[in-house]
Amino acid sequence: MAGQTALGPFQQQVLYALLRLREKAYGVTIWQELEERTGEALAIGSVYSTLERLERKGFVSSRMGEPTPERGGRAKRYYAITGAGAAALQRSERILTNLKGIPVPGTP
Amino acid sequence: MTIRKPPGPGEPFVRKHTWEVRGKREGWTFIWATEPDAPRTARWQRRGNLLFDQNGAPIGESPPFRAEKLLLLVLSARFGEVLLGDLAERFPWIQESYGNRFARLWYWRQALGAICSCFGLRVTGALSVATVARLARRLLSR
């Protein structure tokens, strides 16, 4: 059970991005939010593969949006964090908090 | 695969439950697959390497056609369409900021990365650690 609900670091980041973006969370906004907050250039494929994994675990739900002209008439897929996803994120935070307390070598 | 004529200039493109790849030859549309939850309305028209809106006004340079086609061929209907939309939405911004050459390279990088991620997902799904361990144990026990 623990293995099923354990979240990787990137999965946690994606879930936090969904929490921040709320109803505006779709591919591009999630991608931009992650790039801005982490300061790293990301590939859209890695974002979608993570979202797919999270959806399969039941941590994320998705729905199709309306197509827009700036996307060439293609529809968006909006994502939202589920109750199970929020619980898994809380659990990950708790684990991290329990493990903290020892100073990282090299830090003042 | 069906081939249909695209709408004329200014004519709205409303074709529900289909997605398409425009062919190389101007004036023809290649319709390949269907997805029930992907409604379509406004769209671009590609003439050569340029994009035009529904009223025939130029929008800018188009994303690499071959990369788009590859994505639609390789990715599942569920993600191919949405991913192409996301890349199309960000492409003009990259183009404005870094130039057309860089934007095209960026697009190809994203497309190939998405394809690799997609296959990686399938491979890890089929070959989980437990499956690999079971296979290895069976091979070693012989």
Side-chain angles (χ1 to χ4, degrees):
Chain A
M1 189 67 195
Q4 279 179 353
T5 54
L7 294 171
F10 191 62
Q11 289 180 333
Q12 285 180 39
Q13 287 172 16
V14 169
L15 288 178
Y16 279 123
L18 293 184
L19 282 176
R20 278 185 167 277
L21 293 164
R22 294 169 186 265
E23 67 278 355
K24 285 183 283 177
Y26 70 96
V28 172
T29 53
I30 300 168
W31 188 14
Q32 280 176 337
E33 181 75 14
L34 287 168
E35 283 193 342
E36 277 170 24
R37 302 270 166 196
T38 60
E40 286 169 19
L42 296 169
I44 185 74
S46 61
V47 176
Y48 271 109
S49 60
T50 306
L51 284 166
E52 163 101 13
R53 271 190 211 117
L54 290 169
E55 200 171 4
R56 242 188 282 150
K57 286 180 181 178
F59 296 162
V60 157
S61 63
S62 71
R63 64 173 175 87
M64 288 302 286
E66 287 301 306
T68 55
E70 70 269 16
R71 296 168 63 84
R74 295 182 178 104
K76 295 169 184 172
R77 186 177 284 274
Y78 286 98
Y79 290 89
I81 186 166
T82 61
L89 201 56
Q90 276 178 351
R91 190 174 172 276
S92 297
E93 267 188 356
R94 210 169 43 241
I95 291 169
L96 213 59
T97 312
N98 290 343
L99 285 169
K100 274 181 190 170
I102 300 168
V104 180
T107 52
Chain B
M1 186 178 85
T2 53
I3 302 174
R4 295 173 199 220
K5 268 194 164 177
E11 192 183 336
F13 196 114
V14 183
R15 184 178 294 287
K16 288 196 172 181
H17 315 313
T18 60
W19 45 285
E20 71 194 52
V21 180
R22 279 145 293 175
K24 261 186 177 177
R25 287 169 59 190
E26 193 187 328
W28 287 92
T29 301
F30 297 80
I31 297 172
W32 260 319
T34 63
E35 188 187 11
D37 59 348
R40 309 298 305 272
T41 52
R43 67 171 29 257
W44 299 332
Q45 282 185 346
R46 184 197 293 266
R47 288 178 215 154
N49 276 341
L50 292 174
L51 287 180
F52 295 84
D53 68 9
Q54 283 184 316
N55 303 318
I59 301 170
E61 288 243 12
S62 63
F65 172 70
R66 277 162 216 238
E68 282 186 338
K69 202 161 100 172
L70 188 69
L71 278 172
L72 281 176
L73 281 173
V74 174
L75 295 185
S76 65
R78 184 178 157 79
F79 283 106
E81 179 80 357
V82 179
L83 199 129
L84 272 179
D86 287 343
L87 288 175
E89 197 178 325
R90 218 171 171 193
F91 182 76
W93 184 82
I94 300 282
Q95 214 173 17
E96 263 183 41
S97 309
Y98 302 100
N100 190 45
R101 195 180 155 83
F102 181 90
R104 292 177 83 79
L105 280 172
W106 171 87
Y107 196 100
W108 267 107
R109 189 177 157 264
Q110 295 296 332
L112 294 175
I115 289 163
C116 291
S117 300
C118 164
F119 278 113
L121 200 69
R122 281 184 199 160
V123 168
T124 49
L127 293 174
S128 64
V129 177
T131 317
V132 172
R134 212 176 303 133
L135 278 170
R137 201 171 56 207
R138 205 177 292 169
L139 284 171
L140 289 171
S141 64
R142 282 181 184 174

